[in-house]
Amino acid sequence: MAEINGNDEAKKPVVLITIGMAGSGKTTFVQRLNSYLRSVPPVAYRVNTSRKAPDFSSDMEVKVSKGSSNQASAPSGTSTIPPASASEPRAPYILNLDPAVTHMPFDANIDIRDTIDYAEVMKQYNLGPNGGILTALNLFTTKFDQVLNLIEKRADTVDYVVLDTPGQIEIFTWSASGAIITDAVAATFPTVVAYVIDTARTTAPATFMSNMLYACSILYKTKLPFILVFNKTDVQKHDFAVEWMQDFEAFQRALSTHGSRGSGGVEGGGGGDGDPNYMDSLMHSMSLVLDEFYQHLKAVGVSAVTGDGMPEFFKAVNEAREEYERDYLPELQRLQKDRDSKLEAAKKDSMNRLMADMRVEEEERRAQGLSTTRDRFDDEVIVSDEDEEGDKGGDADEDEDDMNEGRFLDVTRARRVQDPSMDADGSRWPRPG
């Protein structure tokens, strides 16, 4: 994991991770973010405008996705980034993490489809659509460090990095790839999770409660600043949802009036409107549990089609960024410090166990009367550097004699013996060695 540092002189871009169920309008919402940021100067949505001006003394080349046409990048694959003014709109840096999407209303700077072939993954691993998406994202996260490097190269030229994710939100509730993505970006940049909800489909208490449970699960899984984005307010206003979150009794009245099915629905099953059933009793109890959960959430209503509510959304994003720097970043730094200390302790424990095993082995060899590694080292003659230099400076002939000693017979060392039975001529020759 990258080192967590919150003391950088220049402001880092905010990473927006858009999560939501299939059909909630995430991709359309990302397109609205892209359009809004391209048309509004940073001073309109930025809280702190004292951002350090980027240094463009040298050209910066950045790899971009095929077909990308963002203002700050070129479709050829590399581009030289021009200087940007604080009064000029800044295009966001967009990542598409949905390998199965067939059409996007925007051009992504990094697209998972350029790296992973979703259909080939399904074929090779014999998977269905959902399994193919999960596996494709798991494969992509193995190279996510390269994605972070590309984002860091553009950090001085963008204010927002937007991630468009698949509708399979189980990726961020239990899959390893979701945890890798959120942990990696949160350790490097201020990160905010935007949970997109289809407002028109949450008018029934059961569907509303289901969305809230998913939101609660993702919040406690990611441990990041969280914003509830009630999308499609041009179809259905989100006032009822905000009231249910802020007023526990209002939600209870909705359950009593409409039951878990909602008006005209069949979600809860069983009797008509107002008839108590198991789902109603369950949601009564769960609403009590989630009442405290609602108090720590930011909720905004937007329309990805008309653009209504975008200023309120970015106001919530700025507040979430301050929350990240105030509360979440120190906690992430503490967790990283704990991980580092545990890793260091594990290394020391492993070394201590290794040394203990070596001492036991030495004692066993001594008990058997065998030499140990320590004994062999003690018996070795340590030659000083001066002795080595003296040896190197000696006569080459002496070195040659030392090398050939014991290889040949020395006739000068032959001596006569009185026992003629040893040799025919009465001589005994020393043997090599």
Side-chain angles (χ1 to χ4, degrees):
M1 181 181 291
E3 182 179 357
I4 302 172
N5 185 5
N7 299 322
D8 291 349
E9 185 177 354
K11 282 285 187 179
K12 293 183 177 181
V14 178
V15 178
L16 296 175
I17 304 178
T18 58
I19 304 175
M21 294 184 180
S24 61
K26 293 186 307 299
T27 301
T28 309
F29 175 68
V30 172
Q31 164 56 19
R32 178 53 59 183
L33 293 177
N34 182 36
S35 176
Y36 181 81
L37 293 175
R38 285 174 175 271
S39 59
V40 177
V43 293
Y45 55 77
R46 190 187 300 166
V47 170
N48 185 3
T49 59
S50 61
R51 184 190 188 99
K52 179 182 176 182
D55 181 13
F56 295 98
S57 57
S58 59
D59 293 341
M60 182 187 301
E61 291 188 352
V62 180
K63 293 182 65 178
V64 297
S65 173
K66 296 184 296 183
S68 176
S69 60
N70 278 1
Q71 181 180 355
S73 58
S76 59
T78 59
S79 66
T80 300
I81 303 172
S85 171
S87 61
E88 296 177 357
R90 290 182 180 230
Y93 199 80
I94 302 179
L95 282 70
N96 172 48
L97 300 181
D98 189 351
V101 64
T102 57
H103 170 72
M104 292 190 305
F106 54 84
D107 293 326
N109 297 85
I110 299 178
D111 196 334
I112 188 176
R113 297 176 299 174
D114 296 335
T115 306
I116 305 295
D117 188 344
Y118 165 69
E120 188 65 22
V121 169
M122 293 177 58
K123 179 180 178 182
Q124 290 288 339
Y125 293 93
N126 194 24
L127 299 170
N130 289 342
I133 292 175
L134 287 172
T135 304
L137 202 56
N138 289 338
L139 294 173
F140 186 73
T141 52
T142 60
K143 302 294 183 181
F144 204 74
D145 58 325
Q146 300 179 15
V147 175
L148 289 178
N149 291 335
L150 293 175
I151 298 176
E152 288 177 347
K153 291 180 180 179
R154 298 293 299 274
D156 289 335
T157 62
V158 297
D159 290 317
Y160 291 95
V161 178
V162 184
L163 276 64
D164 188 16
T165 62
Q168 284 71 17
I169 59 177
E170 58 267 22
I171 293 172
F172 295 94
T173 55
W174 59 264
S175 177
S177 57
I180 293 173
I181 292 173
T182 55
D183 291 347
V185 296
T188 311
F189 303 100
T191 306
V192 179
V193 176
Y195 184 73
V196 183
I197 300 173
D198 187 346
T199 309
R201 292 183 177 271
T202 57
T203 55
T207 310
F208 174 82
M209 183 60 66
S210 176
N211 269 294
M212 294 301 104
L213 289 175
Y214 269 118
C216 180
S217 175
I218 295 173
L219 172 63
Y220 286 103
K221 178 70 174 180
T222 60
K223 298 181 176 64
L224 290 171
F226 204 86
I227 301 176
L228 291 175
V229 182
F230 288 95
N231 194 16
K232 305 182 183 180
T233 55
D234 55 315
V235 178
Q236 173 68 51
K237 295 296 183 181
H238 71 295
D239 298 338
F240 74 93
V242 175
E243 183 183 9
W244 288 354
M245 293 173 59
Q246 296 178 350
D247 189 353
F248 168 78
E249 294 181 355
F251 184 74
Q252 297 298 320
R253 288 194 299 269
L255 279 176
S256 301
T257 304
H258 302 289
S260 60
R261 300 181 306 158
S263 51
V266 292
E267 296 180 14
D273 290 351
D275 293 339
N277 54 31
Y278 171 76
M279 284 294 295
D280 293 344
S281 301
L282 176 63
M283 285 189 293
H284 271 286
S285 302
M286 297 183 67
S287 61
L288 288 172
V289 176
L290 294 178
D291 187 51
E292 183 178 355
F293 166 71
Y294 296 148
Q295 298 176 8
H296 302 282
L297 287 181
K298 300 177 180 65
V300 296
V302 301
S303 173
V305 175
T306 64
D308 292 339
M310 296 308 296
E312 290 78 9
F313 171 75
F314 278 100
K315 180 182 178 181
V317 170
N318 290 326
E319 293 175 355
R321 175 179 186 147
E322 295 177 355
E323 182 183 355
Y324 168 88
E325 296 175 348
R326 182 183 66 251
D327 302 329
Y328 287 83
L329 183 59
E331 180 66 14
L332 290 174
Q333 292 173 339
R334 185 190 64 80
L335 291 175
Q336 185 184 44
K337 186 177 179 180
D338 291 344
R339 283 193 295 267
D340 294 341
S341 62
K342 290 180 180 178
L343 180 61
E344 187 65 24
K347 290 181 180 179
K348 290 182 179 179
D349 181 66
S350 178
M351 182 59 66
N352 292 335
R353 286 188 284 106
L354 175 61
M355 297 302 295
D357 292 343
M358 292 179 64
R359 286 193 294 269
V360 171
E361 182 182 0
E362 289 180 357
E363 293 174 357
E364 291 178 352
R365 292 182 63 88
R366 286 196 182 98
Q368 297 174 6
L370 303 175
S371 63
T372 65
T373 304
R374 190 185 303 274
D375 297 335
R376 289 196 295 270
F377 277 122
D378 293 340
D379 294 339
E380 289 183 355
V381 178
I382 302 177
V383 182
S384 64
D385 295 339
E386 295 179 357
D387 295 337
E388 291 182 356
E389 292 178 358
D391 293 341
K392 293 180 180 178
D395 189 3
D397 294 337
E398 295 180 0
D399 295 339
E400 185 176 357
D401 292 341
D402 293 339
M403 293 175 58
N404 295 331
E405 184 178 359
R407 295 185 181 181
F408 307 100
L409 295 177
D410 187 359
V411 295
T412 62
R413 295 172 57 188
R415 57 188 176 87
R416 301 286 299 181
V417 294
Q418 298 299 326
D419 187 2
S421 64
M422 298 299 297
D423 262 319
D425 59 355
S427 300
R428 175 180 292 175
W429 299 86
R431 296 305 178 191

